[in-house]
């Protein structure tokens, strides 16, 4: 049967009309952008993963790597120990080369250096003395306090006060955490640790001194700042740690750190000289 020349074509279904509208309103350019952009994003993510792996050198870059401060302190101390071993090896080479150099003036300088090594702390000391141990208040007291938590913690000035009193009492050698203290040593608090010669040491802080026990004990007991600390130690609401012991023998190793001095220079002094 021949269709009527003026017959209307059949109406498209609703689904067909919807597909046609989507085709008309979806630019081919957008489809092209997605076709190019998706591989580019994938390549960028891969590059970022490679950069992170190179920078981490096999370690975890996430902050959660360290579960507690003690682990962080130990890792930093281990890194310092490795660098210190390299420095010691180079220093030994320098000393060997210096000893092989002959001359009257050089011999005079070597004798002067030998005279100054002991007062500079470069020679080990052993003898009777005393030890003082400072520590934070118990953790449960720190966590439950509603007052000023700083009263429950050991601070830089607390350690420095004990060291100064020991010097005042005639100490011939002092150590903190087994590290020899010299005139260039800076005692700095770094969070819940004390930093000496760039190395952090966690509490409790053990301070030992070689010298006249009676004189050092008198200096410590007469220091007003330490008296205030000891009152806080005796207060059950504060209970910071304090322990003083007379020692028959204290060993202070020779200082083996850097001897260079770092100091501020007034502005303009470089040009004036």
């Amino acid at each position: 049967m021949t269709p009527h020349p003026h017959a209307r074509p059949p109406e498209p279904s609703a689904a067909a009309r919807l597909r046609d509208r989507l085709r008309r309103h979806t630019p081919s350019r957008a489809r092209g952008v997605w076709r190019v952009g998706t591989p580019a994003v994938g390549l960028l993510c891969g590059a970022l993963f490679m950069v992170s792996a190179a920078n981490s050198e096999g370690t975890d870059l996430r902050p959660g790597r360290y579960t507690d401060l003690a682990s962080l302190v130990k890792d930093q101390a281990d890194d310092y120990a490795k660098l210190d071993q390299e420095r010691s090896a180079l220093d030994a080479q320098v000393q060997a080369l210096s000893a092989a150099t002959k001359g009257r003036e050089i011999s005079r300088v070597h004798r002067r250096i030998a005279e100054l090594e002991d007062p500079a702390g470069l020679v080990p000391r052993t003898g009777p003395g005393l030890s003082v141990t400072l520590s934070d208040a118990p953790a449960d007291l720190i966590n439950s306090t509603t007052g000023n938590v700083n009263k429950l913690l050991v601070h830089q000035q607390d350690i420095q006060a004990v060291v100064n009193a020991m010097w005042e009492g005639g100490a011939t050698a002092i150590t903190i955490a087994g590290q020899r203290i010299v005139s260039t040593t800076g005692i700095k608090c770094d969070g819940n640790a004390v930093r000496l010669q760039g190395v952090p040491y966690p509490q409790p802080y053990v301070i030992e001194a070689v010298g006249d026990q009676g004189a050092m004990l008198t200096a410590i007991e007469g220091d007003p700042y330490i008296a205030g600390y000891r009152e806080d130690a005796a207060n059950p609401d504060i209970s910071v740690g304090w322990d003083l012991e007379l020692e028959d023998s204290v060993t202070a190793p020779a200082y083996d750190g850097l001897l260079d001095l770092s100091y501020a220079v007034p502005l303009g002094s470089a040009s004036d000289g």
Side-chain angles (χ1 to χ4, degrees):
M1 180 177 178
T2 304
H4 192 279
H6 298 289
R8 298 176 62 185
E11 292 290 331
S13 65
R17 290 198 302 272
L18 180 59
R19 283 195 299 271
D20 185 57
R21 289 179 60 188
L22 288 175
R23 249 193 317 270
R24 288 197 304 269
H25 288 81
T26 303
S28 60
R29 181 181 177 185
R31 290 194 294 272
V33 170
W34 279 107
R35 196 174 294 117
V36 175
T38 301
V41 171
L43 289 173
L44 179 60
C45 291
L48 290 175
F49 289 143
M50 293 177 64
V51 171
S52 297
N55 289 338
S56 67
E57 298 181 350
T59 62
D60 189 355
L61 291 176
R62 294 169 297 178
R65 178 187 175 201
Y66 298 105
T67 56
D68 53 63
L69 182 63
S71 298
L72 177 60
V73 170
K74 182 180 182 302
D75 284 351
Q76 291 189 5
D78 290 344
D79 291 342
Y80 177 87
K82 294 177 182 178
L83 294 175
D84 190 55
Q85 289 178 357
E86 296 178 10
R87 181 201 60 78
S88 298
L90 294 173
D91 187 56
Q93 295 180 24
V94 171
Q95 292 183 14
L97 292 172
S98 299
T101 306
K102 305 298 182 181
R104 180 179 300 177
E105 185 65 20
I106 294 175
S107 297
R108 186 186 65 82
V109 172
H110 285 173
R111 287 195 300 271
R112 182 57 177 160
I113 291 174
E115 293 173 358
L116 296 175
E117 282 183 342
D118 186 28
L122 304 181
V123 175
R125 283 268 190 166
T126 300
L130 52 81
S131 66
V132 172
T133 302
L134 308 179
S135 58
D136 296 344
D140 55 349
L141 186 58
I142 294 176
N143 295 332
S144 63
T145 185
T146 57
N148 184 3
V149 72
N150 285 323
K151 296 281 286 183
L152 311 180
L153 306 176
V154 177
H155 298 282
Q156 170 184 327
Q157 57 268 30
D158 304 327
I159 302 171
Q160 190 68 64
V162 174
V163 171
N164 288 344
M166 289 175 169
W167 288 132
E168 183 69 22
T172 58
I174 298 176
T175 65
I176 300 177
Q179 301 302 307
R180 184 73 174 265
I181 303 301
V182 296
S183 58
T184 58
T185 301
I187 302 173
K188 299 178 181 179
C189 278
D190 189 1
N192 195 26
V194 63
R195 187 176 291 273
L196 304 170
Q197 280 86 241
V199 183
Y201 297 93
Q203 60 105 23
Y205 309 114
V206 180
I207 309 166
E208 295 182 300
V210 179
D212 185 282
Q213 294 175 325
M216 290 191 293
L217 190 58
T218 299
I220 290 175
E221 291 178 343
D223 187 281
Y225 184 94
I226 297 178
Y229 181 96
R230 295 174 69 179
E231 289 179 4
D232 289 341
N235 184 343
D237 294 329
I238 301 177
S239 294
V240 285
W242 169 269
D243 182 66
L244 188 151
E245 297 287 343
L246 300 179
E247 305 289 351
D248 294 333
S249 179
V250 173
T251 298
Y255 174 78
D256 62 353
L258 296 176
L259 297 174
D260 295 341
L261 290 173
S262 298
Y263 50 88
V265 178
L267 292 176
S269 62
S271 59
D272 293 343

